Amino acid sequence: MRRKPKVPPAPLPQRDGIDPVRLRLPPEGPWATVRDHLVERLAAAGTDRIDAMLRDRAIVGVDGPVAADAPFVPGAFLWFHRELPAEAPVPFPVEVLHRDEQLVVVDKPHFLATTPRGRHVTETALARLRRDLGLPALSPAHRLDRLTAGLAMFVVRPELRGAYQTLFRDRLVRKEYEAVAPYRAGLELPRTVRNRIVKERGVIAAREEDGPANSESRIELLERRSTLGRYRLLPTTGRTHQLRLHMSGLGLPILGDPVYPLVLPEPAHDDFRRPLQLLARVLEFTDPLTGEPRRFESRRQLAAWSSPAGWPAG
């Protein structure tokens, strides 16, 4: 059995909280130089861009910057920072609720992605926290949708990440969410929703389909105001968009949801007027390292409930 090669540490520092890109050259190939390979492999960047990066010593190997005529070395590692498109700043703070030698727990605002993905890279909670707290090795313990506000947990040291991620994988974390959605007379609550959810890569909306259940959520009505209700959502599983899909399936689409029950035209990147009224309120678990109970609670309030006059109509 062939062992994976040991990956050396990156010789380039992070930039704006983002790690450099790492490439490994193929074990064989027809290229005489590293440049020849990169021009073919990174064709979308363009030959001029590759040449400029080599000239500026921006492509680095384990022994330092790569020269334009450096010979192709099978299996060698390279690093560089990719050019990032401009992102609309998310004009809301990330509030740090807890910080110790193992964990950072924050109150994430709506619209801010938890980790870099797609067009959201520097405007993410992870990148901000790495920069602002001076913690370049910070990593996420779990995921929280970009549109959902509330508690997000990060691990300070890489060697501890597995222990905390295992808590979420093995469903040992009690998660409590809050949502504002229409009040539906005659709907018996509380109730537990169980069904099968499928989320295809590249498709915005998840869907329910026949088959063994892979998702479970308990839905409770906390209080009612006219046509709206404030709900407590207790997921047992963690499928993508699970709570949003379960609420919509009950005829209770969460206010501000641009996907369920209908996929709406995507708003402008700097349009923050109508946040999804879903909040990760509580995280509760037994610490895998100390055995002590841990409980964190969001300080945020959902705007449609706390300030209904300011909630956008339509």
Side-chain angles (χ1 to χ4, degrees):
M1 183 176 180
R2 182 179 297 177
R3 292 184 178 180
K4 291 184 178 180
K6 184 177 180 180
V7 180
L12 291 176
Q14 291 178 350
R15 180 183 293 172
D16 293 327
I18 303 301
D19 292 322
V21 175
R22 185 186 75 227
L23 293 182
R24 186 171 184 233
L25 300 184
E28 58 183 19
W31 311 280
T33 65
V34 173
R35 176 194 177 276
D36 293 341
H37 173 69
L38 293 179
V39 166
E40 180 178 320
R41 183 168 180 173
L42 305 177
T47 301
D48 290 345
R49 177 60 186 156
I50 299 299
D51 287 339
M53 292 175 70
L54 290 167
R55 186 170 56 251
D56 295 339
R57 301 165 63 87
I59 300 175
V60 176
V62 292
D63 297 322
V66 176
D69 60 351
F72 176 84
V73 178
F77 288 98
L78 303 177
W79 292 263
F80 61 89
H81 285 287
R82 62 189 173 111
E83 286 192 6
L84 300 174
E87 298 179 48
V90 178
F92 312 112
V94 179
E95 182 182 0
V96 177
L97 300 180
H98 173 87
R99 178 181 177 181
D100 60 27
E101 293 182 354
Q102 290 81 40
L103 296 176
V104 173
V105 181
V106 304
D107 233 348
K108 186 185 79 67
H110 297 285
F111 300 109
L112 186 69
T114 302
T115 58
R117 186 177 183 183
R119 69 170 182 268
H120 306 286
V121 181
T122 58
E123 278 299 306
T124 60
L126 180 62
R128 283 194 191 182
L129 292 168
R130 282 176 169 177
R131 297 192 307 261
D132 297 346
L133 301 182
L135 296 173
L138 196 70
S139 58
H142 65 122
R143 68 173 186 265
L144 186 65
D145 285 350
R146 183 178 69 90
L147 298 182
T148 303
L151 298 179
M153 191 166 83
F154 299 84
V155 183
V156 174
R157 305 203 304 273
E159 67 270 20
L160 304 180
R161 185 181 182 187
Y164 290 102
Q165 286 186 322
T166 298
L167 290 177
F168 290 89
R169 184 198 67 193
D170 294 346
R171 304 176 188 174
L172 299 176
V173 179
R174 179 183 178 273
K175 296 181 286 186
E176 180 179 322
Y177 289 72
E178 187 176 307
V180 178
Y183 171 76
R184 182 178 161 194
L187 179 65
E188 185 177 345
L189 294 175
R191 69 165 58 194
T192 297
V193 179
R194 298 182 185 89
N195 59 19
R196 182 168 188 80
I197 292 178
V198 174
K199 176 71 168 66
E200 296 179 7
R201 188 178 182 87
V203 178
I204 294 176
R207 69 178 189 274
E208 300 174 5
E209 68 174 28
D210 294 335
N214 62 4
S215 66
E216 180 177 307
S217 308
R218 179 176 171 85
I219 313 296
E220 302 175 0
L221 176 65
L222 294 175
E223 53 184 321
R224 173 196 174 191
R225 287 182 190 165
S226 183
T227 61
L228 291 182
R230 185 168 71 93
Y231 298 87
R232 178 188 290 128
L233 314 179
L234 302 168
T236 303
T237 56
R239 313 301 298 187
T240 300
H241 295 181
Q242 173 178 316
L243 295 175
R244 296 162 63 182
L245 189 58
H246 283 174
M247 288 290 284
S248 180
L250 293 176
L252 305 172
I254 298 172
L255 266 62
D257 197 327
V259 175
Y260 305 98
L262 297 174
V263 177
L264 303 176
E266 187 172 359
H269 297 167
D270 58 353
D271 184 351
F272 307 110
R273 294 173 297 174
R274 195 175 174 83
L276 175 70
Q277 296 299 281
L278 180 62
L279 175 68
R281 172 67 70 190
V282 174
L283 288 176
E284 197 169 17
F285 57 92
T286 299
D287 193 289
L289 303 181
T290 67
E292 297 178 355
R294 297 258 206 173
R295 188 178 192 277
F296 304 104
E297 185 167 355
S298 172
R299 299 173 185 168
R300 296 184 181 274
Q301 302 294 324
L302 293 171
W305 197 260
S306 62
S307 304
W311 178 253

